[in-house]
Amino acid sequence: MVFIRDPCGVACLVVTYGAVFYADYVVMRWIILSTMAVSIWAPFHVVLFNTVVFLLGMSHLKAVFSDPGTVPLPANRLDFSDLHTTNKNNPGINPGNGHNSNEWTVCTRCETYRPPRAHHCRICKRCIRRMDHHCPWINNCVGERNQKYFLQFLIYVAILSVYSLALIVSTWVSPCAECNQNVIESQLRMIHSVILLLESALFGLFVTAIMVDQLHAILYDETAIEAIQQKGAYRPNRRKYQLLADVFGRGHPALWLLPCTSLNHASRYHDTPLLSHDV
């Protein structure tokens, strides 16, 4: 379990859970109980909406507290003279341009060797395997071990946003004739509905853009950092299904959206030894 004490990240966590709890409050109190109290669909929406909230919370907590793929530090740190000498004399440790299966590099900040596709995060202050970016919304890096949970979080936020919008629009299109017509309560319901409408639209569009970017990074096997460095796809001939399975696990695709570790998911984290070079 890891938790980064970054003020921006902590603030984003507060905003995230505040927005989710507010959406749940508005839907339960001002939409379902106020406009669907006599409908047989009310229990269905209560269960389904809160199920999505639960899965959203679980995937987000997993993304926040999971180790994104931190490269372990050696028992004995290297000094800077050794780093520069080794980097010049060992062709297998070469940052270079493009991808190389032997592309081990040396991090002068962590003073250790790091495997291919690992990068140093200035906020986490560690090197992360297959680092895509540091996301303040999970107060953690998106890397090899938690990209699955980050993508699940984005998907559930998008589902919750669409679900909220659908419920709000349905109450406006087909208002409840048997429900309480108190003027003050109707005005409060309208105010909360408009706020939730704006919140859902804003967050829905925001996470959809990030989700598309993450799927592109997975399907083309190129992280955001690698795209900036113009390295190209790491494994251009790999099938798309295999690339998705590398992130979501080797289980059945129907289980990919469950925020839990697949039975065959952990094995791929050790395909490349973390400290295979002599220090």
Side-chain angles (χ1 to χ4, degrees), residues 71 103-105 113-119 127 129 272-275:
V71 177
E103 193 184 324
W104 282 70
T105 56
Y113 294 101
R114 58 188 178 191
R117 312 189 78 181
H119 299 277
C127 289
R129 295 192 62 164
T272 304
L274 285 176
L275 295 175

Side-chain angles (χ1 to χ4, degrees), residues 214-231:
Q214 285 294 296
L215 288 173
H216 181 275
I218 294 172
L219 294 175
Y220 290 89
D221 205 20
E222 183 183 32
T223 65
I225 294 177
E226 292 166 353
I228 294 174
Q229 296 174 345
Q230 297 182 344
K231 288 191 171 184

Side-chain angles (χ1 to χ4, degrees), residues 74-150:
N76 299 316
R77 296 289 187 91
L78 303 175
D79 59 40
F80 284 91
S81 59
D82 287 337
L83 291 177
H84 294 302
T85 302
T86 304
N87 199 33
K88 290 179 180 179
N89 296 333
N90 191 338
I93 305 173
N94 180 19
N97 293 323
H99 287 294
N100 188 329
S101 59
N102 296 320
E103 193 184 324
W104 282 70
T105 56
V106 175
C107 179
T108 55
R109 297 182 181 89
C110 294
E111 299 183 7
T112 185
Y113 294 101
R114 58 188 178 191
R117 312 189 78 181
H119 299 277
H120 187 88
C121 176
R122 62 180 180 82
I123 299 177
C124 298
K125 296 181 174 60
R126 292 293 295 276
C127 289
I128 308 298
R129 295 192 62 164
R130 211 185 73 203
M131 175 181 170
D132 187 85
H133 68 287
H134 184 94
C135 180
W137 295 103
I138 62 171
N139 192 36
N140 201 357
C141 277
V142 177
E144 185 177 67
R145 298 196 180 198
N146 68 346
Q147 188 176 28
K148 165 186 176 179
Y149 305 122
F150 178 65

